[in-house]
Amino acid sequence: MNDSPGWASPGSSPSGEPGRSDGPGAPQDAAPQNWSQQQPPAGQWQATGGRGVPPPPTGPVWGGPAPSGWQQPHWGAPPSPKPGVIPLRPLGMGEILDGAVSTMRAYWRTVLTISFAVSLLTQGAMLLVQGFMLDDSATINSLDEGADPSFGDVMNAVGGTLAAGGLALVITLLGSVIATAMLTMVISRAVLGHQVTLGEAWSDARHQLPRLFGLTLLLSLIGGGIIAIGIVPGVLVAVGGATAAGVGLAFLGGVVALGVVVWLMIRFSLASPALMLEKQGVLKSMARSVKLVRGSWWRILGIQLLTMILVYIVSSIIQIPFVVVGMVAGSDGLSAFASGNQAGLGWTYLIVIGIGAVIGSTITFPIQAGVTALLYMDQRIRREALDIELARAAGIPGHSDALGGAGAPGNSSATGS
């Protein structure tokens, strides 16, 4: 005989079991055999455990839905709400990557428009700079043509190359800042399940663009300065005559400096979303990033490194066919590429590989920005219970008691408090 109550309320007796009566006149308050004498009132009982418990009976037996007062059994914590692209709880690595891809799928018009425009701007600038370096005599490439270039020729070539490279760097940096800012705002709304247009993303992001540009430039200068400090002593030793010792010292200093740069960049890796979503200044956003990363440095490094590898693989798969077509279509074909004669490849090669770079960047920009923004939200969920504020902002039942306040839908403080 099964003593489990099943889905019948305690106090009732399943038909067909010996020693129990279902007929008229049977006492309704008598506890069945093998049951405790103290039972909760019928209609308010809730199952809280056990395996293999069937769902509540419905249909012809009951004549309708489950009886009043019945509650779904729970086997542990209830499932986390998911109003948008991620569940509102601490996230795993796969969920962060999936959230970035889901954002690109769900809001593809806005996301791909942003990333395509930025990719077209940056790759177009790189194309012009590379073409200028191929054709202009005031570049380092032109020194190969002269048997004995003068000091003035060398300085002129170096200056031309640095100017062209600096212009391309500034344009690329500006495009990256715009893409990061706008995509971060799209992702912040995608987490809540809110639709966002291109105009809304720009309106939310444009006020913070100068600060984000300053933050990106400052981090670049910090990284470059540390690398320079690491290798300059070795370069000076090599210039002084001890070439072998100088090269070894420069290599060692460069390795140490690179390690320091990686350590710092991971600590500051959440500064961009903190600046955008919390409306912070440059230094305060860097301090916020350090606080959020503390204790999770290795985890964030692993996720960012995996993202970089995936982005590189996806970008390579897209661009390799364009590189091959560009080499074949170039003025000197494969022979110029094999001989290292970049000038022989010409504009056709640059334009073809530029098209591939635009397509690749259009797809990879949202993944990179999405992972960084979701990492920031994940760290705040783990440390500051941001999931509660997000649930309120999304209007999830049971979390909407603060609607109209800081967590109201459409209020940016839900993600930026």
Side-chain angles (χ1 to χ4, degrees):
M1 180 179 67
N2 183 9
D3 293 332
S4 171
W7 290 104
S9 298
S12 64
S13 178
S15 60
E17 291 194 20
R20 301 189 182 182
S21 174
D22 296 329
Q28 299 298 319
D29 56 350
Q33 186 179 0
N34 297 330
W35 281 76
S36 170
Q37 295 297 323
Q38 297 181 353
Q39 296 294 326
Q44 300 181 8
W45 176 74
Q46 177 184 356
T48 58
R51 293 174 178 259
V53 179
T58 58
V61 176
W62 284 83
S68 174
W70 180 87
Q71 300 183 30
Q72 179 71 25
H74 51 83
W75 315 113
S80 302
K82 188 179 179 181
V85 294
I86 59 169
L88 301 184
R89 56 170 170 75
L91 304 173
M93 180 184 299
E95 290 173 319
I96 291 176
L97 292 171
D98 180 70
V101 175
S102 297
T103 301
M104 186 167 59
R105 276 202 316 263
Y107 306 91
W108 63 271
R109 285 189 179 86
T110 302
V111 170
L112 294 184
T113 300
I114 294 170
S115 56
F116 176 75
V118 171
S119 300
L120 191 62
L121 173 67
T122 56
Q123 295 301 326
M126 293 298 297
L127 173 65
L128 294 176
V129 169
Q130 289 175 332
F132 169 78
M133 292 177 65
L134 290 179
D135 296 337
D136 193 356
S137 59
T139 61
I140 291 179
N141 291 333
S142 65
L143 297 180
D144 296 335
E145 302 173 0
D148 188 17
S150 64
F151 179 77
D153 293 335
V154 173
M155 294 304 297
N156 189 30
V158 171
T161 300
L162 291 179
L167 178 62
L169 178 62
V170 170
I171 296 175
T172 302
L173 185 64
L174 181 61
S176 176
V177 166
I178 294 174
T180 299
M182 296 183 69
L183 291 173
T184 298
M185 305 315 297
V186 172
I187 292 164
S188 69
R189 294 198 179 194
V191 168
L192 302 176
H194 294 171
Q195 295 292 331
V196 56
T197 64
L198 186 63
E200 291 171 340
W202 171 251
S203 178
D204 290 342
R206 61 189 177 90
H207 298 293
Q208 289 294 98
L209 284 178
R211 291 179 177 179
L212 184 59
F213 183 81
L215 171 65
T216 306
L217 184 60
L218 177 60
L219 293 179
S220 301
L221 292 176
I222 290 174
I226 293 174
I227 294 293
I229 292 173
I231 64 175
V232 163
V235 172
L236 295 178
V237 171
V239 172
T243 305
V247 171
L249 182 60
F251 176 77
L252 180 61
V255 171
V256 174
L258 181 61
V260 174
V261 169
V262 172
W263 178 73
L264 281 176
M265 292 303 106
I266 294 300
R267 286 173 65 86
F268 295 141
S269 62
L270 304 184
S272 295
L275 184 144
M276 293 303 302
L277 298 177
E278 299 181 25
K279 311 301 181 185
Q280 298 278 11
V282 173
L283 297 181
K284 286 187 177 181
S285 65
M286 294 171 67
R288 280 287 288 156
S289 177
V290 170
K291 179 181 178 181
L292 293 173
V293 171
R294 186 180 296 120
S296 302
W297 190 92
W298 286 105
R299 176 176 177 269
I300 293 176
L301 172 66
I303 295 176
Q304 295 280 29
L305 186 60
L306 177 62
T307 303
M308 290 175 58
I309 294 173
L310 291 176
V311 165
Y312 175 78
I313 292 174
V314 171
S315 180
S316 298
I317 291 174
I318 294 173
Q319 294 186 46
I320 285 176
F322 289 91
V323 173
V324 174
V325 172
M327 288 188 298
V328 173
S331 58
D332 289 343
L334 295 174
S335 60
F337 186 84
S339 63
N341 182 16
Q342 190 179 23
L345 294 172
W347 283 94
T348 302
Y349 171 77
L350 294 178
I351 292 174
V352 173
I353 66 170
I355 294 173
V358 169
I359 297 174
S361 298
T362 299
I363 296 175
T364 57
F365 257 143
I367 297 176
Q368 291 176 303
V371 167
T372 301
L374 292 176
L375 263 176
Y376 160 82
M377 295 181 189
D378 175 59
Q379 289 299 111
R380 286 198 62 186
I381 287 174
R382 293 171 183 270
R383 296 177 181 271
E384 302 172 359
L386 180 65
D387 53 326
I388 297 177
E389 295 299 322
L390 292 174
R392 289 172 178 169
I396 295 176
H399 297 81
S400 55
D401 55 317
L403 292 178
N411 193 327
S412 60
S413 64
T415 55
S417 58

